[in-house]
């Protein structure tokens, strides 16, 4: 992927959507048949498809079922939407949302590595994930879409629904006859993709899609390697395709495979980035130091070396702080962010491990440096470049805070939230977590700041602390919420956070707020955070800030809905 950008296409089967809580196409059709049977007064129908065949004399199709159950196009759309869009409870439960696999593929697309995603699914999870990273995809769901398609190399992100899209019920295919052949325009498009691109397959068994199998078999010229990821042994039908195309089988689930692929592709793309294996060795040595009685010298010196290295980066010390041409600002900023990512990777791994498994002694070896790295530059220069000098402090704050929260080291978490201070020209001295944020410092062009930092730090926690993606996101959201409370307490406004909206329409209902309310109900004044000195140990002050945050979150939900 590094050497041949835009050379790979992804094929996602039903497994990728079922993992998100989506019903399979077969499940949806069976439920529609059961609804039809109930409308006709039938109760015990046994096999829904057999009942439909006997009742109507032909296999069930989406067109026929929707015509029987609805009258207008709006009703048909509303009926299908209930299967493929989350309701209030499903949104709260995290169902029918893009999975880690969808989001990793979107990262690969944003990085210019995977321009095409083919899917057998009717849902729009892939499109949602692409929009989350700022990409508006081109969508093909039927022959008309394929007929008017621009040249493939000009399309930034193309999503091909080979079996149709629920937004156009006439395009949806599910019966054996419908899956046996495609329209000529779709076949021609698939021939181009399977010939010109390497193929990465996941969540697809190959057993029920003869037309798609035939399209893969037709492709005899292969310029790039192909891979098939599945946590279980592949069926015989898939093994034949494996042999025909020379595909490499990888035993892994979609979330693990695509997340690791995206993370590693980012790492090898930057020659300045330290090799992941050397960082693994560094982390392993740190864990041994923290597990021993002596700790001290090795870990202290290693942390000191990495902290000094980051503190001395030219983007923090010598600049330059202007560029000759204003058109070059974004390119220069992107270049410095890339340098920053590579330079901070070992440090963030060490800080995460130390904050998670460390002690009050080891905390002192990195906590004070947050304040050093947060110091602003003297006035002058472009804010896009000068503010970036404080970004390492923000990255350390989030890394240490999330790790301490995940480990329930409430004393360390409270110190991260309250001890480091930063001087502001107009607002005076304040908590670093309140004065600095991803938006104020990183603000990468074309990317949402908090989400960018969330994605950047994910491998630190999943690789080095062995947190699941879900556990990491949960810890991220809880720390982000606590940071916003401190920011609100300091009257520094309300940054747009990277926290999932669980509420409906005008309510945001962030999960970390529910978590903190439950903790208060359980502990009251003895809440561990308050016991360690958070917000001056005042439960009343904490609850007032939570109420204010709830209003700010709901305002954000209303703005998004209007938008």
């Amino acid at each position: 992927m590094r050497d041949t950008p835009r050379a790979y296409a992804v094929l996602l089967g039903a497994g990728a959507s079922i993992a998100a809580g989506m019903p399979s196409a077969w499940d949806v059709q069976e439920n529609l048949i059961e609804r039809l049977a109930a409308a006709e007064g039938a109760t015990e129908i046994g096999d829904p498809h057999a009942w439909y065949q006997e009742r109507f004399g032909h296999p069930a199709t989406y067109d026929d079922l929707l015509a029987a159950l609805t009258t207008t196009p709006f009703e048909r759309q509303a009926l299908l939407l209930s299967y493929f869009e989350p309701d209030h409870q499903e949104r709260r439960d995290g169902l029918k949302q893009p999975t880690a696999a969808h989001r990793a593929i979107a990262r690969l697309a944003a990085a210019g590595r995977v321009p095409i995603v083919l899917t057998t699914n009717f849902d729009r999870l892939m499109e949602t994930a692409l929009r989350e990273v700022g990409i508006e995809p081109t969508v093909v769901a039927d022959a008309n879409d394929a007929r008017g398609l621009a040249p493939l190399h000009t399309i930034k992100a193309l999503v091909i629904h080979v079996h149709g899209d629920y937004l156009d019920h006439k395009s949806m295919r599910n019966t054996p006859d419908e899956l046996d052949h495609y329209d000529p325009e779709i076949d021609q498009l698939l021939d181009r993709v399977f010939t010109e691109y390497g193929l990465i397959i996941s969540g697809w068994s190959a057993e029920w899609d003869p037309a798609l199998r035939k399209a893969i078999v037709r492709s005899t010229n292969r310029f790039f390697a192909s891979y098939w990821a599945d946590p279980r042994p592949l069926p015989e039908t898939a093994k034949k395709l494996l042999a025909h195309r020379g595909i490499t089988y990888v035993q892994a689930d979609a979330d693990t495979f695509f997340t690791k692929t995206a993370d590693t592709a980012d790492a090898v793309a930057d020659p300045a980035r330290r090799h992941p294996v050397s960082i693994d060795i560094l982390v392993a040595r740190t864990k041994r130091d923290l597990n021993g009685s002596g700790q001290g010298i090795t870990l202290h010196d290693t942390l000191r070396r990495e902290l000094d290295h980051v503190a001395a980066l030219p983007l923090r010390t010598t600049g330059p702080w202007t560029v000759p041409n204003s058109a070059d600002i974004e390119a220069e900023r992107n270049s410095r962010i890339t340098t920053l990512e590579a330079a901070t990777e070992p440090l963030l791994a060490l800080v995460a491990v130390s904050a998670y498994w460390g002690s009050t002694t080891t905390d002192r070896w990195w906590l004070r440096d947050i304040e050093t790295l947060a110091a602003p530059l003297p006035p002058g220069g472009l804010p896009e470049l000068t503010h970036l000098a404080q970004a390492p402090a923000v990255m350390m704050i989030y890394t240490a805070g999330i790790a301490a929260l995940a480990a329930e080291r409430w004393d360390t978490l409270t110190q991260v939230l309250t001890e480091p201070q930063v001087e502001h020209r107009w607002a005076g001295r304040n908590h670093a977590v309140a004065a600095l944020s991803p938006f104020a410092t990183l603000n990468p062009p074309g990317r949402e700041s908090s989400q960018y930092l969330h994605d950047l730090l994910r491998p630190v926690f999943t690789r080095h602390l062995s947190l699941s993606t879900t556990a990491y996101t949960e810890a991220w959201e809880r720390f982000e919420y606590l940071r916003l409370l401190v920011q609100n307490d300091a009257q520094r406004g309300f940054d747009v956070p990277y926290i999932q909206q669980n509420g409906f329409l005008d309510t945001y209902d962030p999960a970390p707020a529910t978590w903190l309310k439950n903790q208060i109900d359980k502990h009251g004044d003895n809440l561990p955070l308050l016991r360690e000195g958070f917000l001056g140990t005042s439960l009343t002050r904490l609850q007032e800030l939570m109420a204010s945050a709830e209003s700010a979150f709901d305002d954000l939900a209303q703005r998004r809905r209007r938008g």
Side-chain angles (χ1 to χ4, degrees):
M1 287 184 171
R2 179 191 65 186
D3 297 333
T4 53
R6 296 183 58 81
Y8 288 89
V10 167
L11 169 58
L12 295 178
S17 289
I18 291 172
M22 286 288 181
S24 69
W26 196 257
D27 292 336
V28 172
Q29 204 166 63
E30 283 195 341
N31 187 258
L32 291 173
I33 294 171
E34 288 167 352
R35 289 190 184 200
L36 179 59
E40 295 201 349
T43 52
E44 300 295 330
I45 65 172
D47 178 2
H49 285 274
W51 176 86
Y52 188 95
Q53 176 77 40
E54 182 179 345
R55 170 71 178 81
F56 296 100
H58 60 81
T61 67
Y62 276 100
D63 243 8
D64 292 336
L65 287 167
L66 293 170
L69 290 166
T70 62
T71 304
T72 68
F74 179 81
E75 289 175 345
R76 286 191 283 274
Q77 192 70 54
L79 178 57
L80 287 173
L81 187 141
S82 68
Y83 291 103
F84 298 106
E85 295 290 339
D87 59 25
H88 179 64
Q89 187 58 49
E90 287 168 335
R91 195 179 297 278
R92 286 176 65 93
D93 295 339
L95 299 175
K96 298 183 181 178
Q97 317 269 346
T99 63
H102 291 102
R103 290 191 167 104
I105 295 166
R107 287 169 54 206
L108 290 167
R113 298 185 176 110
V114 172
I116 298 175
V117 179
L118 306 103
T119 176
T120 64
N121 303 311
F122 299 147
D123 60 74
R124 292 213 155 194
L125 292 177
M126 195 63 247
E127 289 92 322
T128 300
L130 287 165
R131 291 187 181 107
E132 286 178 352
V133 296
I135 297 175
E136 183 59 40
T138 300
V139 179
V140 169
D142 60 18
N144 289 330
D145 295 336
R147 197 176 296 121
L149 196 63
L152 296 184
H153 72 274
T154 67
I155 302 173
K156 184 173 180 62
L158 172 64
V159 179
I160 304 173
H161 287 269
V162 292
H163 294 165
D165 174 356
Y166 85 90
L167 292 178
D168 177 9
H169 70 91
K170 291 185 179 298
S171 70
M172 297 167 71
R173 298 168 171 265
N174 192 53
T175 67
D177 285 345
E178 291 170 332
L179 299 179
D180 187 61
H181 62 278
Y182 297 141
D183 292 324
E185 293 86 350
I186 296 295
D187 268 334
Q188 291 168 15
L189 177 58
L190 294 179
D191 288 346
R192 289 187 58 193
V193 172
F194 293 152
T195 298
E196 298 173 13
Y197 294 82
L199 192 58
I200 304 171
I201 303 171
S202 185
W204 186 55
S205 70
E207 292 195 277
W208 313 108
D209 306 314
L212 190 52
R213 292 200 306 268
K214 286 184 274 190
I216 293 175
V217 169
R218 283 197 305 271
S219 169
T220 55
N221 294 326
R222 293 182 290 277
F223 300 104
F224 305 101
S226 292
Y227 303 88
W228 197 318
D230 199 292
R232 293 168 295 277
L234 296 175
E236 286 303 316
T237 308
K239 288 179 180 177
K240 290 178 182 177
L241 293 178
L242 219 67
H244 170 78
R245 194 178 171 95
I247 300 174
T248 299
Y249 166 63
V250 182
Q251 190 166 10
D253 63 85
D255 284 354
T256 301
F257 177 78
F258 284 110
T259 299
K260 186 170 287 188
T261 298
D263 290 344
T264 311
D266 287 342
V268 300
D270 182 3
R273 192 182 296 272
R274 197 175 304 183
H275 195 281
V277 173
S278 67
I279 296 177
D280 286 345
I281 294 170
L282 195 64
V283 167
R285 190 172 66 202
T286 300
K287 290 177 181 178
R288 285 197 303 272
D289 288 345
L290 290 170
N291 194 42
S293 56
Q295 290 181 1
I297 299 173
T298 304
L299 175 55
H300 175 274
D301 290 353
T302 305
L303 272 167
R304 189 74 267 145
R305 182 175 63 249
E306 296 299 336
L307 284 162
D308 290 345
H309 171 65
V310 171
L313 289 173
L315 63 84
R316 291 197 70 260
T317 55
T318 60
W321 311 117
T322 59
V323 292
N325 189 337
S326 60
D328 296 333
I329 295 174
E330 184 171 318
E332 178 61 26
R333 187 176 182 80
N334 271 336
S335 174
R336 295 190 187 191
I337 288 175
T338 300
T339 300
L340 185 62
E341 289 174 0
T344 56
E345 190 174 13
L347 173 62
L348 298 181
L350 289 172
V351 169
V353 172
S354 300
Y356 192 89
W357 276 296
S359 64
T360 53
T361 299
T362 58
D363 289 345
R364 289 199 300 271
W365 298 340
W366 52 263
L367 187 59
R368 295 168 182 168
D369 286 87
I370 293 176
E371 194 165 299
T372 302
L373 294 173
L377 293 171
L382 294 167
E384 294 92 335
L385 303 181
T386 57
H387 291 176
L388 194 60
Q390 295 170 293
V394 175
M395 297 161 86
M396 274 188 69
I397 286 170
Y398 272 81
T399 301
I402 293 167
L405 191 152
E408 297 187 357
R409 295 190 63 216
W410 306 115
D411 56 340
T412 302
L413 175 59
T414 302
Q415 288 178 309
V416 171
L417 288 167
T418 59
E419 282 196 6
Q421 304 278 307
V422 63
E423 193 74 39
H424 193 278
R425 268 188 293 167
W426 301 294
R429 196 160 177 79
N430 218 317
H431 298 306
V433 295
L436 303 178
S437 68
F439 176 77
T441 55
L442 285 160
N443 199 18
R447 290 174 285 180
E448 200 283 315
S449 306
S450 290
Q451 184 178 350
Y452 159 77
L453 186 57
H454 169 276
D455 294 345
L456 179 71
L457 295 182
R458 184 196 299 111
V460 173
F461 290 88
T462 57
R463 183 184 182 95
H464 302 308
L465 297 187
S466 299
L467 296 188
S468 67
T469 303
T470 301
Y472 164 64
T473 299
E474 182 181 82
W476 163 281
E477 290 197 346
R478 291 175 180 179
F479 177 77
E480 180 82 315
Y481 181 76
L482 293 172
R483 188 191 70 80
L484 288 171
L485 295 184
V486 176
Q487 189 178 56
N488 193 8
D489 187 50
Q491 299 181 337
R492 296 298 299 252
F494 181 84
D495 288 338
V496 176
Y498 185 55
I499 295 176
Q500 177 70 42
Q501 179 177 343
N502 295 312
F504 187 66
L505 295 179
D506 290 346
T507 59
Y508 203 100
D509 194 14
T514 303
W515 161 75
L516 191 53
K517 288 174 186 174
N518 291 338
Q519 291 293 302
I520 292 172
D521 290 341
K522 180 179 178 181
H523 299 285
D525 288 331
N526 202 36
L527 184 73
L529 267 173
L530 296 178
R531 203 169 58 235
E532 297 297 337
F534 184 61
L535 296 177
T537 73
S538 171
L539 178 59
T540 302
R541 185 172 161 198
L542 173 59
Q543 291 173 323
E544 288 172 352
L545 290 171
M546 291 174 67
S548 175
E550 183 176 353
S551 298
F553 271 106
D554 288 346
D555 286 345
L556 176 59
Q558 292 166 25
R559 291 200 303 273
R560 286 181 174 177
R561 183 169 69 87
R562 289 195 296 270

